[in-house]
Amino acid sequence: MKTRVKICGITRKQDVITAANAGADALGFVFYEPSPRYVTPDAARELVDAVPPFVMATGLFVNPEASYVQEVLSRVPLGLLQFHGDESPEFCNSFGVRWIKAVRVRETDDIEHAFERYRNASGLLVDAWDPQKYGGTGQSFNWALIPSRRPLPLILAGGLASDNVSRAVAQVRPWAVDVSGGVESSKGIKDDEKITDFINEVHRVDETD
């Protein structure tokens, strides 16, 4: 099975091109102002316009107002929404766009509960728990907490980089992996070599199995 790769927190056109050319399946754009990777709707529109065919443009939100999500959707042609806060299933499902839900993991029950609660999602993203941050912590978590039964495609995030992603893919067998800080030279600034190395490591595991 091919493991998909999403490069999140894109802020520059050159990083759009680098990630797509390296084989990324999806690119993430952060619409959460406290994040150092935040982009305005206008900036995101220019970035998404540079995304080539067959690469999914994803918009990341954290506890947004519905009106803000609708404003972004009216200006930016996103193919997928990613909710990283405490949004209800009804809220996530209210925009007429496919969506995935992120869950911060402390124990196995967190994931199993999220699979049930967000069963209308297109996928479940599992990330490291932090009491103050909704993702982007740069920390991994105990992958043994991830159950083998997965009613939805599972996306693995949290502290991934080229030096551990092959082990993560081999152990977890996720549908996809999601990386942001692990392929950066500084917050919001991607590194061409790190992006390429990361994606190559994912593909290497797929090819050897």
Side-chain angles (χ1 to χ4, degrees), residues 59-120:
L60 187 155
F61 298 87
V62 179
N63 296 326
E65 295 291 336
S67 58
Y68 180 57
V69 179
Q70 291 164 346
E71 176 192 352
V72 171
L73 286 172
S74 71
R75 298 163 69 181
V76 186
L78 299 171
L80 187 71
L81 302 179
Q82 178 174 331
F83 293 106
H84 249 271
D86 306 306
E87 302 88 357
S88 70
E90 294 76 19
F91 180 90
C92 297
N93 210 39
S94 66
F95 301 101
V97 178
R98 299 176 70 204
W99 53 278
I100 58 176
K101 183 68 181 73
V103 56
R104 295 174 291 161
V105 179
R106 284 185 290 184
E107 53 191 33
T108 299
D109 287 350
D110 294 333
I111 301 175
E112 293 176 343
H113 176 69
F115 272 132
E116 173 59 27
R117 187 179 185 212
Y118 296 99
R119 57 186 175 273
N120 291 326

Side-chain angles (χ1 to χ4, degrees), residues 2 9 15-16 18 20 27 84 102-103 111 115 128 131 135 150 158 187 206:
K2 176 187 176 184
D15 296 333
V16 170
T18 295
L27 304 178
H84 249 271
V103 56
I111 301 175
F115 272 132
R150 303 166 187 176
K187 289 186 182 297
D206 290 343

Side-chain angles (χ1 to χ4, degrees), residues 127-151:
D127 201 352
W129 166 264
D130 186 291
Q132 297 178 320
K133 294 182 179 180
Y134 291 96
T137 65
Q139 302 298 314
S140 60
F141 64 97
N142 182 2
W143 301 326
L145 295 174
I146 300 172
S148 57
R149 179 182 173 275
R150 303 166 187 176

